[in-house]
Every structure is written in C-alpha cells, then in structure tokens.
Amino acid sequence: MNIIVCIRQVPDLIEELELNDDSTGLNREYLKLGVNEFDDWALEQALLLKEQHGGTVTCLALDTPDVDNTLFTCYAKGADKAIKIEGDFANGATSHQAAKLFADAIKPLPHDLILTGVQSVEDLDGQVGVLLATYLGVPHVSVITGVQVNSRVAVVRKEYAGGLLAEFEVDLPAVLGIQAAKQAPRYAPISKVRAMMKEKKIETSISRDGTVDAGIAIRRLFKPENGKHAEMIEGDADAVAARVVEILKERGLVK
Amino acid sequence: MSNDVFVVVEHLKGKIGDITFEMLGKAREIADALGGKLNAVLIGDALLAAQLGKADAVLHIGEPMLANFTPIAHKNALAELIRARAPRVVMIANTSMGMDLAASVSVSLDLPLVAYCKNVRVEDGKIIATAQLYGGKLLADAEATGDQVIVSILAGSFSADAGRGAGAPVVEQVSVTTNDGGVRFKQLIEPEAADVDITKQEILVSVGRGIQNADNLPLVEELAAALGGALSASRPIVDNGWLPKSRQVGKSGQTVKPKMYFMVGISGAPEHLEGMRDAGLIIAINTDANAPIFDVAHYGITADLFDVVPALTEKIKSQ
Ligand SMILES: Cc1cc2nc3c(=O)[nH]c(=O)nc-3n(C[C@H](O)[C@H](O)[C@H](O)COP(=O)(O)OP(=O)(O)OC[C@H]3O[C@@H](n4cnc5c(N)ncnc54)[C@H](O)[C@@H]3O)c2cc1C
C-alpha cells in the first residue's frame, strides 16, 4: 500500500505572533514554524498502517523555511520518501493553494491512501485534506481517529461530539483528515535525524498547473478585544493561592 | 444570484444541534439586511422541519440514501442545490460533519469559503466574516472577492435562542441526484461508559498539555480531591492515553457547565472553549500571558502550574 502524508509547517503558537505593516498577515521575518500538530498524527497513522500492511510512506511538504529538517525527521521516523514542492511560499499559502499544489504533486505518484492532519491553525479558507480530495476527485472523510484497510476499502471512524463515533467504508484511493492515531506520534532522536541528513535525499517537485485563488481577501488581522479579559491575580504562589481561596469562599465553593 | 441565505441544518439521532439554531438566528439578520430570504436546507429526517420556524422556507431533500450523514453524498446533494439556487451566503456548521461539507462544496462549485467564523455581518452590501485563527490568538476580517460565499460557523458564536422561531415554515421538497461517491455510512458507535460523569460535577479541575507528562497528573488529582471535584482534561491528555476519553472537555468531548472550572496548563483553543465557556467561574493558570484562555476566564494567573497548584492544594486542605 502506498501512503502519502501531506505535511505543513505552521507558526508556533507559543511565540508572540506579530502582524505585518498593514495588518493583513503575519510578519514572517522572524516567525518560528513547526509541524502542524495533526500532521504529526497523520504520519504516525501512516507508519502504523505500513507496519501492518507493508508498502511505502511518502511525505510531501511545501518548501517553507526549515522544511528540510521536518522532512529528515519524517525519514528518521520511518518514511520511505520525502518530496518538497518548490515555489514562493514566503508569505505562506492559503489552504486552497496548498491543496492544489499537493494535488498536482500527488497525481503522478502511486497512491492508495492520502493522509493529512484534520486541520491547521492557518486554515482560514478550509481544511487542506478535504480541498485536496475534491481537487483529486477522490473520497474524503475527516476527523478520523481510527483506520483499518481491507484490500480496496478503508473502514474509518469519524468523531462526532461527546465521544460518539461514526463508522464509514471508504473506497480507495481516498484522503483522510487525521485527528489522532492509535498511539501518540513517535519520537525521532536528533542523532537519527542527523544520520538521515547524510543518508537520504529530499526530492523536489514543481507544480506545472500553478495555483488557485481562494477568493477571499483579508481586510485585517487583529487580536481579540480585551474587554472580557480575565482579572489577573498577581503575586508569588502563596499569595495567588490565598487569593484563589478567598474567591472560592466568596462563592461558597470551599468551606 | 439571489440575496438569499442558506443554513445547512445539522442533525444527529433525530435531534437538531444548537449550532443550527445559532446559525438560523444570525442568518435571519443577514437575510434581512440583504433583503433576501432565509432558507434552511434539511437533508434527511423530514419531521425536523417543524422546528425550523425561523426560516422563511425549508428546502427538504428526502432521498433515502441521505438519511445518515456521509461526506460525499451530502456534499453532492448540497452542491447541486446551491448551483441551482445560487444563494448569496451559505452557512455550514464548523463541526465534524460541516468540515467535510464546506471545503468540498467550495472546490466543487469554485466558491470561496471562510472557515472558523465567529461573526458574519453585512457592510456596504458586502459580506464580512470574522474568523478565528491561530488557536484563538488572532481574528481575521475576511471578505469574499466574488458575490457568493460559504461560511463555516464555530459553535458557541451566537445565541441559539435567537434561532428558535415559532410558527410552521413552508417546506419545499427538492429532489437531487444521489451518489455515495465512494463513502458509505456503516454505523454509529456510542462512547464507552464513564467512570466519572464530568457533566454532573460542580467543580472540575481540568488539565492540559502544560502538565508535560502523565507522572505529573497526581498533582492536579490532589487539587481536584481537595476541592471535592473531579479531574477533566483537554484533548492532548486523552490522545496520549493519560486519561480516558470520558474526561475530555470540548468539541469532540463533553460539554460541561460546572460551578467552577479550574484550568491548569490549557491554552484555550476554540475546540476546547466549545465545551466549557458557560462554566460559572473559570480560573486559568498558564505561563503564557497571551494565552487565549485569559480572554474567556474570569480570573487568570500567569504562573508556573508546578508552583501554584501545590501551594493551592495545601491552602485548601488547611482550611
Ligand atoms: C476537530 C477537532 C476537535 C477537537 N476537539 C477537542 C476537544 O474536544 N477538546 C480539546 O481540548 N481539544 C480539542 N481539539 C484540539 C484543540 O485544537 C487543541 O489542540 C487542544 O485543545 C490543545 O490542548 P491544550 O490547551 O492542553 O494544549 P496546548 O494548546 O499545547 O496548550 C498548553 C498550554 O500550557 C501552557 N503551559 C506550558 N507549561 C506550563 C506550566 N508549567 N505552567 C502553566 N502553563 C503551562 C502553555 O503556555 C500553553 O498555553 C480538537 C481539534 C480538532 C481539530
């Protein structure tokens, strides 16, 4: 079974996000990027399926800063092939653009199953997995926490609210938006990533069809208004604890 | 193109979700501002139409194959209807089901989509959608460059009561071509029984990824015990297998409304907020002063949980 995993680098949310001059996007100059957390789960799901059924895992990513490191990490975890899609992504890419680029790169590759993270923090114009499936004209199911493959179909479990699951049968090839795999994403030691940098090569792919327009314009990006902001409790741990106990007492929540 | 607004009705096990009523209330405002009609699009269960009085009309698609939600069959039906009627705005819930619909209709019909919307308004005849991005750290005012737009709405953005209209709506039967597109519904699987029902607790101590690893959980367990409450968690704690799924609060977990929700090392991602924003008292501890949770919490503490939690546990025990 040939599995493709689409991986995106997104801003690290621990860092302060700075806006560009006209507040229509992020100032990307010093932006720290990391793998979209759900894409890591998608890779884990792919590796688990490969362990079970054999086949190959190919990781695809747009050529964003530090992506090589990410792709060598994929190799270190057990991916067979890593491909970087070349282009100008200095200002990021919309979900529609990313999906179209992934679709163009995937078409010539052998593929039975395509996995993406269910969503990313940058999906202003929709989730890449579903967009990608529609560009490819193959079925999709997102918010997946379980995948079993039996010859040409996959039986998948999609999460609804409250822990309820829906089970679907999906004809392959298909795109699945992965929420979580059976086990947490495996860890690749730095030494192994370094070894992969010497041993493996990242292939490149250039989109012939170009990209698409998501059809939306950002008027402005802004921080949520602070009107409802919490009343902050200051002081050392003991002072904070004392104040919290006071608040709980006022409300009759502790005796 | 018309000035109509479509709301795609989401229902499961014979029940219309609150998010649909939230959308209907907001869509009523938008349709009135545009001078268009508000149409509820109901796929499946015809009986539910009676609850959709806020809409001017219900467009009901009753093909048996569409009785249970399936991503492609429902997308095909919806796309056919939108193509035929050309509404100005289509509202879809940004839920597990809606995520499969909104993006695929966007590509199928080449219509723009603004996802994760917290608000939608009409300004100088244009539709402006406010979307929540970066785990709730930023908002974006986005505008479609063409005439029509699909918006997917985050649960908890509007009042559901505003969308519960009395009166019987006109129901128009619409027939569409059906095609499962390679995805077939098999069954619903109910969640496993819970050891503790977190929806019934008055006090919850909720733990997030800030706790770092499972070995640190007793720290928060002790606080929960001292407060006479129970332990709940954000999704990563459950995905890592540190607590059972029944303890998860949020979009794909439980919706809770305790008297107090004490949050330890949780950032306040929109998917988490969906499950707890109506708690009576929300207190959050987070090392990041800019964590989105501080916009929702009543009290915030910018500190290391490993300092504050033990101090607080001790203080409560000594009362
Ligand atoms: C379809 C879908 C459904 C989802 N459903 C849910 C759901 O039901 N429930 C849910 O919770 N999530 C859900 N999520 C996931 C959600 O998007 C977030 O990934 C998740 O809520 C983040 O959990 P967190 O806040 O614990 O972790 P993070 O976002 O990683 O936050 C950890 C926080 O801990 C703080 N911290 C770190 N160290 C310390 C310390 N020593 N002391 C104090 N603070 C510290 C950090 O500053 C950070 O703010 C869903 C996602 C999707 C796509």
Side-chain angles (χ1 to χ4, degrees):
Chain A
M1 185 167 48
N2 296 302
I3 308 174
I4 294 181
V5 184
C6 299
I7 291 188
R8 274 206 296 171
Q9 305 255 105
V10 294
D12 183 347
L13 297 187
I14 295 296
E15 308 283 314
E16 181 74 7
L17 299 175
E18 239 183 82
L19 299 179
N20 63 11
D21 288 343
D22 59 359
S23 294
T24 54
L26 296 181
N27 178 356
R28 291 183 171 259
E29 198 175 351
Y30 304 109
L31 199 60
K32 203 168 150 242
L33 299 177
V35 177
N36 171 33
E37 72 169 296
F38 301 113
D39 296 356
D40 244 349
W41 287 91
L43 175 58
E44 184 60 37
Q45 180 64 67
L47 295 168
L48 291 173
L49 285 169
K50 178 185 147 180
E51 282 160 16
Q52 212 183 339
H53 300 279
T56 62
V57 171
T58 300
C59 292
L60 268 185
L62 304 184
D63 188 4
T64 45
D66 274 341
V67 74
D68 287 11
N69 204 24
T70 294
L71 290 173
F72 284 120
T73 306
C74 295
Y75 273 131
K77 288 182 176 186
D80 302 279
K81 198 167 170 180
I83 304 176
K84 188 162 73 174
I85 300 171
E86 295 198 314
D88 178 13
F89 309 115
N91 291 315
T94 67
S95 299
H96 280 74
Q97 284 167 349
K100 183 67 166 53
L101 290 160
F102 283 136
D104 292 344
I106 289 168
K107 271 178 206 154
L109 301 172
H111 57 273
D112 302 299
L113 201 52
I114 301 158
L115 306 183
T116 69
V118 60
Q119 69 180 38
S120 95
V121 295
E122 288 197 299
D123 285 344
L124 174 66
D125 59 319
Q127 296 85 27
V128 167
V130 176
L131 298 168
L132 161 64
T134 317
Y135 282 124
L136 286 172
V138 303
H140 56 82
V141 189
S142 48
V143 203
I144 297 298
T145 52
V147 188
Q148 277 186 317
V149 178
N150 315 311
S151 70
R152 295 310 300 161
V153 298
V155 176
V156 301
R157 288 185 171 187
K158 175 181 178 72
E159 278 194 350
Y160 290 156
L164 185 70
L165 299 168
E167 196 171 76
F168 295 96
E169 193 178 76
V170 189
D171 293 339
L172 301 185
V175 179
L176 302 178
I178 302 295
Q179 173 83 57
K182 228 197 187 83
Q183 64 183 44
R186 63 196 67 190
Y187 175 75
I190 293 288
S191 57
K192 191 150 185 209
V193 177
R194 290 231 174 87
M196 291 295 141
M197 288 174 173
K198 292 194 184 114
E199 197 179 305
K200 301 273 190 184
K201 264 184 64 181
I202 294 172
E203 295 182 21
T204 50
S205 160
I206 299 164
S207 169
R208 278 165 288 110
D209 299 359
T211 63
V212 288
D213 182 1
I216 57 177
I218 296 184
R219 283 194 168 183
R220 65 173 185 133
L221 278 178
F222 56 105
K223 296 199 170 145
E225 263 94 59
N226 280 344
K228 284 187 296 181
H229 200 289
E231 180 181 329
M232 301 308 284
I233 304 173
E234 315 281 350
D236 65 10
D238 285 328
V240 165
R243 177 72 187 114
V244 171
V245 170
E246 227 173 78
I247 294 165
L248 298 183
K249 275 187 175 166
E250 280 163 21
R251 308 225 175 187
L253 292 165
V254 289
K255 266 127 240 154
Chain B
M1 191 203 53
S2 69
N3 272 323
D4 294 352
V5 178
F6 277 16
V7 168
V8 179
V9 175
E10 183 166 303
H11 57 94
L12 192 60
K13 300 204 287 183
K15 203 170 167 283
I16 298 177
D18 270 358
I19 177 66
T20 298
F21 295 110
E22 288 185 43
M23 293 194 291
L24 284 169
K26 181 47 96 175
R28 182 77 266 168
E29 282 175 32
I30 304 287
D32 292 348
L34 292 170
K37 282 209 173 100
L38 167 54
N39 291 321
V41 178
L42 174 62
I43 306 179
D45 205 342
L47 291 176
L48 297 174
Q51 296 171 42
L52 302 169
K54 202 74 187 180
D56 295 312
V58 176
L59 306 178
H60 177 246
I61 299 175
E63 270 77 4
M65 198 183 123
L66 303 171
N68 287 296
F69 175 80
T70 62
I72 312 294
H74 280 235
K75 182 269 286 188
N76 287 340
L78 187 59
E80 190 174 321
L81 182 63
I82 294 170
R83 187 183 283 117
R85 310 281 176 116
R88 182 83 191 277
V89 182
V90 179
M91 282 192 187
I92 300 176
N94 192 98
T95 52
S96 180
M97 295 184 216
M99 280 161 88
D100 268 307
L101 286 180
S104 55
V105 171
S106 166
V107 172
S108 294
L109 298 182
D110 197 14
L111 291 179
L113 163 63
V114 186
Y116 310 107
C117 291
K118 292 287 301 166
N119 201 6
V120 185
R121 61 182 195 272
V122 182
E123 212 177 278
D124 302 327
K126 287 186 163 25
I127 311 294
I128 313 293
T130 305
Q132 192 169 18
L133 296 178
Y134 301 109
K137 284 199 158 186
L138 291 177
L139 297 172
D141 271 348
E143 176 192 329
T145 49
D147 293 327
Q148 290 176 274
V149 67
I150 304 168
V151 291
S152 73
I153 307 289
L154 288 173
S157 299
F158 314 120
S159 152
D161 286 341
R164 282 184 234 272
V170 183
V171 180
E172 182 188 339
Q173 297 300 329
V174 179
S175 86
V176 295
T177 20
T178 51
N179 170 3
D180 73 21
V183 185
R184 293 166 293 279
F185 172 82
K186 302 302 279 183
Q187 59 170 334
L188 286 178
I189 301 163
E190 296 292 334
E192 280 168 29
D195 58 337
V196 176
D197 185 351
I198 59 170
T199 66
K200 300 228 160 75
Q201 299 288 322
E202 293 199 337
I203 293 180
L204 286 175
V205 173
S206 211
V207 57
R209 188 145 46 193
I211 197 74
Q212 290 170 12
N213 61 57
D215 297 343
N216 295 328
L217 280 183
L219 207 66
V220 274
E221 250 159 3
E222 234 182 287
L223 175 58
L227 284 163
L231 197 59
S232 59
S234 68
R235 171 145 207 149
I237 303 300
V238 172
D239 282 343
N240 281 318
W242 302 344
L243 281 175
K245 181 79 180 172
S246 55
R247 301 288 185 117
Q248 184 185 317
V249 171
K251 189 188 195 86
S252 45
Q254 303 296 329
T255 299
V256 298
K257 208 179 158 182
K259 285 190 178 154
M260 180 181 61
Y261 193 69
F262 198 91
M263 305 176 72
V264 180
I266 297 180
S267 62
E271 293 83 4
H272 189 80
L273 301 188
E274 269 185 37
M276 47 61 68
R277 60 179 344 131
D278 294 329
L281 173 67
I282 302 168
I283 307 180
I285 305 176
N286 199 307
T287 38
D288 177 5
N290 295 314
I293 193 56
F294 291 137
D295 288 318
V296 176
H298 301 102
Y299 293 94
I301 302 157
T302 307
D304 191 328
L305 72 92
F306 296 102
D307 294 333
V308 172
V309 172
L312 183 56
T313 307
E314 204 171 303
K315 193 113 215 153
I316 288 164
K317 278 186 177 165
S318 71
Q319 290 298 304

